[in-house]
Amino acid sequence: MTTSAGGVRPLEDGIRTDLRGQLDYAGYLDLERVLSAQHPLSEPEHHDELLFIIQHQTTELWLKLMLHELRAARAQLDADDLLRALKSVARVKHILRTIIEQWSVLATLTPSEYAEFRGGLGSSSGFQSYQYRAVEFILGNKNAATLAVFRADPAAHDMLHGLLAEPTVYDAFLRLLARRGLAVPREILDRDVREPWVEHPELIPVLADIYRDPSSAWDVYEACEDLVDLEDAFQLWRFRHLRTVQRTIGFKPGTGGSSGVGFLRRALDLTFFPELISVRTEVGA
């Protein structure tokens, strides 16, 4: 048995040290490309630009995983596998918690520090994140006008154009409810999925029945609450985004041409599952 001495932990005998010709950690993760993908443009290079780049690159990686999980959740709902769908939704909620807290790192960037390299961003803006737009689309906030932003990127444009014509996670959930025998109105099931979701008051009585008798379909009741959790987490992410931008640039216009904080504030009025909020007024009334 080996023992540590002087604060040094000896290597165990089984640890591989000769990795020539073997798949190693850096190779599996393609770290050479990942860690060389940060290219500050400020001259001379500003110390804090690396923070700004890494913040947004890591967010894009999390958005990739969110979209992966939301696509899976939709497919699982289509297959009537509600419990597996909820596992994917739960993972998305945890991702959102991570990127909500991540804003606190960017918030260490002061207005003076950001001003020293902001000009190098040109017209680039988070509004141009096609993965963020894809997540919004699959959750129901569809806006065909935003596709114009991606005309110069055919792959991104095609992906978003495809998602625009596909059902949302909420569409898939409501279709599952209909297959379970709940009286989801036919006009909702047959709606034009290219349109953004708007509240359908005629759906509220269907959801109210679920909430009045949770034991009759506990998994469906739990799914409703999980979707509300998902929406709450997304709204918190939007709010932290707004507050971080306001803290860093005040009320300046955004680099992509938006009004900045005002534009972000209006996003807080958007909702993915409005009936799941409205139904609470009916329960117990």
Side-chain angles (χ1 to χ4, degrees), residues 5 50 66 75 97 101 104 124 161 174 254 258 267 272 279:
L50 186 62
M66 283 176 61
R97 291 190 188 106
E101 184 56 34
S104 65
S124 64
H161 188 268
L174 295 176
S258 75
F272 300 126
V279 71

Side-chain angles (χ1 to χ4, degrees), residues 198-258:
V198 294
E199 184 165 356
H200 295 272
E202 63 272 28
L203 182 58
I204 294 175
V206 179
L207 299 174
D209 287 343
I210 295 170
Y211 275 87
R212 289 190 184 106
D213 186 13
S215 61
S216 65
W218 185 267
D219 57 344
V220 170
Y221 171 70
E222 181 181 18
C224 290
E225 287 298 283
D226 283 347
L227 290 176
V228 173
D229 287 344
L230 175 59
E231 171 136 346
D232 281 352
F234 206 96
Q235 287 286 37
L236 283 172
W237 186 88
R238 285 171 171 160
F239 180 73
R240 288 296 301 274
H241 183 193
L242 181 157
R243 295 296 297 184
T244 302
V245 169
Q246 182 173 294
R247 174 179 179 141
T248 308
I249 67 168
F251 298 96
K252 295 184 185 73
T255 50
S258 75

Side-chain angles (χ1 to χ4, degrees), residues 1 3 19 54-55 58 62-63 68 101-102 104 108 115 144 169 181 195-196 203 238 254:
M1 177 183 293
T3 58
L19 294 169
I54 288 176
Q55 169 89 19
T58 53
W62 286 122
L63 287 169
H68 176 71
E101 184 56 34
Q102 191 171 291
S104 65
T108 64
V169 170
E195 295 296 321
L203 182 58
R238 285 171 171 160

Side-chain angles (χ1 to χ4, degrees), residues 120-245:
L121 274 62
S123 59
S124 64
S125 164
F127 183 78
Q128 299 151 13
S129 168
Y130 69 87
Q131 292 196 121
Y132 173 79
R133 195 61 49 202
V135 169
E136 290 252 6
F137 276 17
I138 200 170
L139 286 175
N141 181 25
K142 296 187 178 183
N143 184 348
T146 60
L147 267 65
V149 176
F150 304 98
R151 285 175 182 154
D153 186 343
H157 186 277
D158 290 349
M159 188 262 274
L160 289 172
H161 188 268
L163 274 175
L164 189 71
E166 295 174 10
T168 69
V169 170
Y170 199 31
D171 286 316
F173 176 61
L174 295 176
R175 291 173 184 182
L176 179 147
L177 295 187
R179 292 193 297 274
R180 290 276 193 98
L182 280 76
V184 180
R186 173 51 57 184
E187 58 269 24
I188 294 177
L189 298 174
D190 294 339
R191 79 180 190 92
D192 184 352
V193 298
R194 295 170 298 179
E195 295 296 321
W197 184 270
V198 294
E199 184 165 356
H200 295 272
E202 63 272 28
L203 182 58
I204 294 175
V206 179
L207 299 174
D209 287 343
I210 295 170
Y211 275 87
R212 289 190 184 106
D213 186 13
S215 61
S216 65
W218 185 267
D219 57 344
V220 170
Y221 171 70
E222 181 181 18
C224 290
E225 287 298 283
D226 283 347
L227 290 176
V228 173
D229 287 344
L230 175 59
E231 171 136 346
D232 281 352
F234 206 96
Q235 287 286 37
L236 283 172
W237 186 88
R238 285 171 171 160
F239 180 73
R240 288 296 301 274
H241 183 193
L242 181 157
R243 295 296 297 184
T244 302
V245 169

Side-chain angles (χ1 to χ4, degrees), residues 46-49 51-52 103-118 243-250 252:
H46 192 281
H47 174 83
D48 296 305
E49 191 175 359
L51 158 65
F52 190 83
W103 285 117
S104 65
V105 183
L106 192 61
T108 64
L109 184 67
T110 69
S112 301
E113 292 163 346
Y114 184 41
E116 292 180 17
F117 67 85
R118 188 182 187 228
R243 295 296 297 184
T244 302
V245 169
Q246 182 173 294
R247 174 179 179 141
T248 308
I249 67 168
K252 295 184 185 73

